[in-house]
Amino acid sequence: MRILLISIGTRGDVEPFLAIAELLKAKGHEIVCAFPEQFRKMTDDLNIEFHGLNPAFLELLHSKDGEVVMGGGKSLWGKILSFVRLAQKGIEVNKVMMAEQHEITESVQPDLIIHHNKAVYPIYKEVQDHIPQIIVSPVPYLIHHIKGYPHLGFRKKILGINIEKWSYSLANFGLLSFVSSWSKKLKHNKRPGRKALKDCLLNTPLIYTISPSLFSGEIDPDSPVKVLGYHEKSVETHWEPSDELQQFIQRHNKILFITFGSMTNPWPEKITRMFCEILSEYEIPAIINTAYGGLVKLDEYDNALIHFEEGLPYHWILPKMYGVVHHGGSGTTHLGAKYGCASMIIPHIVDQFMWNQLLYEKGIGPKGIKISKISKKKLASKILDLWTHQPFKDKAEMLSEEMQKEDFRSELVEALLTVKIKG
């Protein structure tokens, strides 16, 4: 089959699709990927056809308004204005990306479309042209009600009213309204009705690329939802650690890894200095990963106790670490747990608060602090707890043993390819 994979978002949204692309390519299928332009090299390295989507989505996250929405840093009114501006720009970006998905799909002419929940054009395409599609998500609690949990974008209660079940309907209404509104701009005689779009959405298979060890909630047996494990793309072989990094690791037998991944915030220098002061005061060896700029290198702290790196492959560094402090993206959360790290999350947005609560409930680390509420006193207490409370590490290693045994590759491929048969 000719299979088109579409994903929109950060690295944690794209990497599961690269893993799927590799699995399906190995089975002899012709694979085409459509991701934000920033991920061209990662896809090219796997020798897979690539179509670049507008990079504006990630640029929005790294804009000044994006930093405020993710990290705070302004008055309530300032935050509201930033959110409104970001939402307005986001609507326009989504329209552009819908048009791009339309153009790419028409040029590729796929037999099957596998897409992220943020990439909603394939829902329209199935209704209009009967091209089968399937949704893959690295985060849970979307589209179909999972008992015990509201939709990812909502709290369980609003104004004292339990909206757990309603939250999924509300989110689906918004999604379908956007698809329906956008489809009116296309020049064709027959436009899909709202009921047809809704039926398609609710009957589309949804696969969570999440470890069952990290999934909570009760799935309705009649819903098209499956939890089929966390999947990594093939390991980068061309990357080599510096001599300084290797020497730092050799000098210390217990190290903390600190990273905010692709998340940004309004005060990277201030927060980095906060971490460094705590680490220095309590003599905790740490590697700080500056990545996309949420943390920055401070020359005065680059010494025998604290080592800065601009970007590190997690599969290489995490097995060597005692613990990890991170933003709480799905990928980093899974890899920290998979490699037995005591973990604490500093959540910035949406699903990261859910992962923060989940890791706390699993007992592999203290409950982290929201990035906009962080202070040296609060952070010091949490880091000391993470560093000194041995049960966190013990439970992390037990969880790691469970996750290391998981292998859902066959089930994932079967679930993806069965859709074509039904189609």
Side-chain angles (χ1 to χ4, degrees), residues 2-19:
R2 188 163 169 79
I3 303 174
L4 174 61
L5 277 66
I6 308 176
S7 184
I8 299 170
T10 62
R11 184 165 181 155
D13 296 299
V14 170
E15 285 216 353
F17 284 81
L18 287 171

Side-chain angles (χ1 to χ4, degrees), residues 141-161:
Y141 316 129
L142 302 167
I143 304 174
H144 300 276
H145 177 223
I146 303 296
K147 190 174 180 181
Y149 291 85
H151 184 280
L152 191 62
F154 291 82
R155 295 183 177 184
K156 194 165 187 175
K157 289 186 177 182
I158 295 180
L159 299 177
I161 301 172

Side-chain angles (χ1 to χ4, degrees), residues 279-327:
L279 296 168
S280 297
E281 184 176 346
Y282 294 102
E283 298 184 343
I284 298 173
I287 295 171
I288 297 179
N289 187 45
T290 56
Y292 284 76
L295 298 164
V296 295
K297 182 177 180 180
L298 301 176
D299 291 333
E300 65 267 35
Y301 289 104
D302 193 3
N303 53 38
L305 192 67
I306 302 171
H307 181 84
F308 288 91
E309 286 281 337
E310 187 175 348
L312 283 172
Y314 289 173
H315 74 271
W316 186 89
I317 192 66
L318 288 173
K320 300 171 176 63
M321 298 294 102
Y322 173 85
V324 56
V325 177
H326 61 96
H327 57 294

Side-chain angles (χ1 to χ4, degrees), residues 12-13 137-141 149 152 208-216 227 230 326-335 337 343-347 349-368 399 403:
D13 296 299
S137 175
V139 297
Y141 316 129
Y149 291 85
L152 191 62
Y208 288 134
T209 50
I210 298 169
S211 164
S213 303
L214 288 180
F215 183 85
S216 294
V227 180
Y230 175 72
H326 61 96
H327 57 294
S330 177
T332 313
T333 298
H334 274 85
L335 290 174
S343 301
M344 182 177 75
I345 289 174
I346 305 294
I349 54 173
V350 198
D351 62 301
Q352 297 168 7
F353 294 93
M354 178 273 298
W355 293 121
N356 184 29
Q357 179 65 32
L358 189 145
L359 291 193
Y360 171 68
E361 291 173 356
K362 292 289 182 182
I364 68 172
K367 191 171 183 180
L399 181 60
M403 293 180 69

Side-chain angles (χ1 to χ4, degrees), residues 82-126:
S82 288
F83 182 84
V84 170
R85 285 194 294 265
L86 199 68
Q88 290 173 337
K89 293 174 185 174
I91 290 171
E92 294 309 309
V93 168
N94 277 332
K95 288 178 181 177
V96 170
M97 297 190 87
M98 283 285 281
E100 286 181 327
Q101 292 170 57
H102 168 68
E103 292 170 8
I104 291 168
T105 303
E106 292 305 309
S107 69
V108 171
Q109 290 294 304
D111 301 305
L112 169 66
I113 305 175
I114 300 169
H115 62 102
H116 192 283
N117 56 284
K118 292 194 192 89
V120 294
Y121 172 77
I123 297 168
Y124 159 84
K125 186 66 176 174
E126 178 168 2

